[in-house]
């Protein structure tokens, strides 16, 4: 017997809650259906209905959030009042076209795609819920569990805040989640205690001046130069006004200024993101960035209007909950199934839950083992190795059982 097979056998012997083949096939089909029918944030009505229908079929009583999309579902008896473990999935898609050419389940909705793996996250939490519900019916679920299917993760500042306001964390003591990682082979997870993602805010700037002729820039506000200096000097200034270890970075994604080669324009627009690895520096970021923009704009006699859109703080994994995920994965698939992972500069609104309760997010490997091409997130050709669904389900069910074992009164 191979080492992997021995690990699987040992894990199954220790913990119930593995994924039956019949349910695995159903979950793959469920994920493909979601993939074919992606819905944007706060528009996930079909997705919500599909999740609700399957949970109700299992005898559960999900509650749709007051926004009309997303839902919460409790499994087990809450009578003892012990804070429970929550499992979170995000259910929205992205406003980009699905460019996969040879895929039977590619998106059927123009300019919409599950290019971030939220369909996988949703299927993992659904599958874990169905397995745990079956254990509960057998009297094998020691502590209740909450499933959170959250809308609008891709919409700043994220649907997590609305879900929390709607009671998603009431009675919750810990929360876990996974995020697809196309750099990690299916069958593996990546873990990191501490910050695993970056804070991310959005920045929109308008610069204005009287305009004029390029022959006489000294008589007006040279708005193109002003915009160019904002682009180059603001990141440099900000980088010198905060500890460099904080990783505070201003990066531009759009600049729109001028229409003719001999006309100094009256209006310029810039937009970009502010990312930060450190939560304290993130809290200072709006004042630092706005002050730097005003300083450069004033230097060039441009009037500035700044819209600083607060996004999400970093996801800071709790060490104990990260340890729980490690223990769960090792119990299922052995020591070699867990690897360390680096901090990402991507933003994730799972961070809002972690402002309230300890929790952790694991990176779920979705790369086909041996595949050299990395199908990156937020790209139209992104897809996942569907064997990752079973890995995620069994990670979560093991985590629920092990978490309960540590909380026995």
């Amino acid at each position: 017997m191979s080492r992997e097979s021995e690990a699987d056998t040992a894990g199954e012997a220790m913990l119930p809650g593995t994924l039956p083949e019949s349910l695995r096939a159903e979950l793959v089909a469920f994920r493909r259906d979601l993939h074919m029918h992606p819905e944007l944030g706060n528009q996930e009505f079909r997705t919500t209905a599909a999740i609700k229908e399957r949970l109700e079929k299992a005898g559960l009583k999900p509650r749709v959030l007051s926004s009309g999309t997303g839902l919460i579902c409790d499994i087990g008896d809450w009578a003892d009042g012990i804070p429970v473990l929550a499992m979170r999935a995000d259910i929205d898609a992205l406003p980009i076209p699905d460019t996969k050419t040879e895929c039977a389940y590619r998106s059927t909705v123009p300019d919409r795609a599950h290019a971030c793996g939220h369909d996988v996250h949703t299927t993992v939490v659904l599958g874990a819920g169905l397995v745990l519900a079956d254990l509960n019916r057998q009297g094998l679920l020691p502590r209740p569990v909450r499933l959170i299917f959250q809308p609008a993760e891709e919409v700043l500042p994220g649907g997590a805040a609305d879900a929390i306001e709607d009671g998603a964390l009431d009675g919750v003591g810990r929360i876990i989640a996974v995020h697809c990682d196309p750099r990690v082979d299916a069958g593996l997870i990546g873990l990191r205690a501490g910050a695993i993602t970056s804070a991310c805010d959005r920045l929109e700037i308008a610069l204005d001046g009287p305009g004029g002729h390029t022959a006489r820039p000294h008589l007006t506000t040279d708005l193109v130069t002003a915009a160019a200096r904002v682009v180059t000097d603001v990141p440099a200034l900000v980088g010198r006004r905060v500890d460099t270890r904080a990783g505070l970075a201003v990066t531009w994604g759009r600049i729109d200024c001028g229409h003719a080669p001999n006309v100094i324009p009256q209006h310029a627009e810039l937009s970009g993101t502010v990312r930060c690895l450190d939560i304290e520096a993130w809290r200072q970021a709006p004042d630092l960035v706005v002050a730097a923009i005003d300083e450069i704009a004033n230097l060039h006699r441009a009037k500035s209007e700044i819209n600083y859109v607060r996004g999400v703080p970093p996801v800071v994994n709790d060490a104990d909950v990260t340890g729980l995920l490690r223990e769960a994965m090792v119990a299922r698939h052995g020591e070699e199934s867990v690897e360390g992972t680096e901090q990402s500069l991507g933003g994730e609104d799972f961070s809002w839950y972690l402002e309230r309760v300890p929790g952790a997010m694991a990176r779920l490997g979705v790369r086909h083992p041996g595949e050299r091409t990395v199908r990156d997130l937020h790209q139209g050709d992104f897809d996942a190795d569907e064997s990752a669904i079973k890995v995620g389900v069994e990670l979560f069910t093991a985590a629920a059982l092990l978490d309960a074992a540590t909380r026995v009164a």
Side-chain angles (χ1 to χ4, degrees):
M1 180 182 293
S2 70
R3 190 185 326 179
E4 182 178 356
S5 298
E6 289 174 357
D8 287 347
T9 302
E12 291 178 17
M14 285 197 312
L15 289 172
T18 54
L19 183 64
E21 174 58 28
S22 59
L23 181 55
R24 185 204 66 79
E26 179 191 346
L27 292 175
V28 169
F30 187 90
R31 180 259 168 169
R32 292 185 176 189
D33 180 71
L34 295 185
H35 200 83
M36 293 174 67
H37 301 93
E39 297 175 300
L40 300 184
N42 296 316
Q43 301 173 24
E44 312 97 329
F45 297 102
R46 184 186 184 278
T47 303
T48 298
I51 299 166
K52 182 174 182 287
E53 179 182 3
R54 186 59 185 91
L55 291 171
E56 289 176 340
K57 183 179 177 182
L60 299 171
K61 297 179 179 179
R63 174 174 68 86
V64 176
L65 299 179
S66 58
S67 63
T69 64
L71 60 160
I72 298 169
C73 185
D74 295 333
I75 303 170
D77 184 7
W78 288 65
D80 57 16
I82 295 177
V84 301
L85 182 71
M87 303 172 179
R88 174 269 200 171
D90 37 11
I91 66 175
D92 56 327
L94 286 163
I96 64 175
D98 189 332
T99 60
K100 297 188 293 295
T101 56
E102 297 181 2
C103 179
Y105 52 86
R106 69 193 300 266
S107 173
T108 61
V109 184
D111 299 321
R112 303 286 185 269
H114 268 296
C116 199
H118 294 189
D119 53 337
V120 175
H121 308 164
T122 299
T123 304
V124 164
V125 173
L126 174 64
L130 296 176
V131 172
L132 292 171
D134 187 57
L135 290 180
N136 187 54
R137 284 189 290 271
Q138 300 175 57
L140 298 176
L141 183 63
R143 291 282 181 259
V145 172
R146 171 166 293 167
L147 313 179
I148 301 173
F149 297 92
Q150 175 216 303
E153 190 276 330
E154 299 286 353
V155 181
L156 288 180
D162 294 332
I164 291 168
E165 187 175 347
D166 219 343
L169 289 182
D170 293 352
V172 170
R174 287 174 159 183
I175 187 168
I176 56 176
V178 293
H179 198 296
C180 289
D181 191 334
R183 302 165 302 171
V184 178
D185 283 351
L188 306 177
I189 65 167
L191 290 177
R192 176 187 179 93
I196 192 172
T197 70
S198 166
C200 181
D201 299 336
R202 190 172 71 242
L203 189 58
E204 298 168 346
I205 305 168
L207 299 176
D208 289 287
H213 198 292
T214 57
R216 294 175 289 279
H218 59 293
L219 298 180
T220 186
T221 296
D222 187 351
L223 206 61
V224 174
T225 297
R229 299 304 280 181
V230 167
V231 167
T232 58
D233 291 354
V234 167
L237 277 177
V238 170
R240 289 296 177 267
R241 293 177 178 176
V242 69
D243 190 326
T244 54
R245 292 172 296 181
L248 181 59
V250 179
T251 307
W252 306 104
R254 184 180 73 92
I255 179 168
D256 185 2
C257 186
H259 300 284
N262 62 341
V263 177
I264 294 175
Q266 297 177 311
H267 184 73
E269 294 182 357
L270 305 88
S271 59
T273 58
V274 180
R275 299 180 187 272
C276 187
L277 304 178
D278 178 77
I279 195 164
E280 292 305 321
W282 175 73
R283 293 187 174 118
Q284 302 170 32
D287 290 341
L288 289 171
V289 172
V290 169
I293 293 167
D294 283 340
E295 186 173 328
I296 301 302
N298 290 337
L299 181 64
H300 293 274
R301 298 180 297 175
K303 179 182 177 182
S304 61
E305 183 176 333
I306 305 165
N307 182 24
Y308 193 109
V309 182
R310 208 54 158 144
V312 295
V315 171
V316 182
N317 280 348
D318 177 79
D320 288 341
V321 184
T322 304
L324 171 67
L325 290 174
R326 176 180 294 278
E327 184 182 0
M329 190 65 178
V330 169
R332 293 296 194 202
H333 298 289
E335 291 281 352
E336 294 180 356
S337 65
V338 180
E339 62 182 37
T341 190
E342 62 187 11
Q343 186 176 4
S344 165
L345 281 172
E348 233 293 349
D349 78 349
F350 185 66
S351 53
W352 291 122
Y353 299 105
L354 304 190
E355 294 275 287
R356 306 290 188 92
V357 299
M361 171 176 281
R363 300 204 183 283
L364 180 66
V366 295
R367 180 175 63 193
H368 300 291
E371 184 177 19
R372 294 184 179 181
T373 302
V374 176
R375 303 181 187 279
D376 203 1
L377 300 173
H378 289 215
Q379 300 295 319
D381 66 347
F382 172 79
D383 202 1
D385 185 323
E386 291 172 324
S387 66
I389 294 171
K390 174 179 170 67
V391 174
V393 168
E394 295 186 342
L395 169 68
F396 277 6
T397 56
L401 296 172
L402 292 170
D403 178 67
T406 66
R407 293 167 179 261
V408 174

